[in-house]
Amino acid sequence: MELLSPDVTLWTDGGGKVRQALRPVVGARTVASWFAAIGTVTYQGVEPGDMRAEPAEINGGPGMVFSGHGRVVATVTFDFDADGRITAVHNVANPDKLRAVAAGTARDLTP
């Protein structure tokens, strides 16, 4: 919760093909609750225990790539304020957009 700006906004993109939030999710508690909830259920046919999350550079910034059963199922990227708190989260699960990520080159972000 300390990493989230009080007015953080979660934007989701399922492209009408994957179930996502229909409207932006606003507020630190609401965004945290949304992620806590999806972390307990099967997501696009992948059980939580079978999901892999890896840090990645996406569109030039920090993010996470979530995969399972040999495919990318979602990406999450972040926008930050001057204090380093997350002001926006972008969750992309649209399979058409994820093809570019799945075909991309992985880069190690560890210093």
Side-chain angles (χ1 to χ4, degrees):
M1 292 294 294
E2 292 174 15
L3 297 177
L4 300 175
S5 170
D7 60 348
V8 62
T9 301
L10 166 65
W11 302 89
T12 65
D13 178 359
K17 298 177 181 185
V18 175
R19 187 172 184 204
Q20 291 285 301
L22 297 176
R23 293 186 176 91
V25 178
V26 180
R29 286 199 186 282
T30 309
V31 169
S33 294
W34 190 88
F35 276 106
I38 66 166
T40 64
V41 297
T42 300
Y43 186 75
Q44 297 186 48
V46 181
E47 294 289 331
D50 296 329
M51 186 76 66
R52 242 182 110 168
E54 297 180 83
E57 182 178 306
I58 301 172
N59 294 331
M64 299 290 293
V65 175
F66 293 87
S67 59
H69 300 301
R71 63 187 173 87
V72 174
V73 295
T75 62
V76 176
T77 58
F78 309 96
D79 295 340
F80 299 91
D81 66 14
D83 296 321
R85 291 182 300 180
I86 299 169
T87 58
V89 181
H90 305 274
N91 178 355
V92 176
N94 180 339
D96 297 331
K97 294 180 180 177
L98 293 176
R99 285 188 199 120
V101 173
T105 302
R107 293 186 177 97
D108 184 4
L109 295 179
T110 55

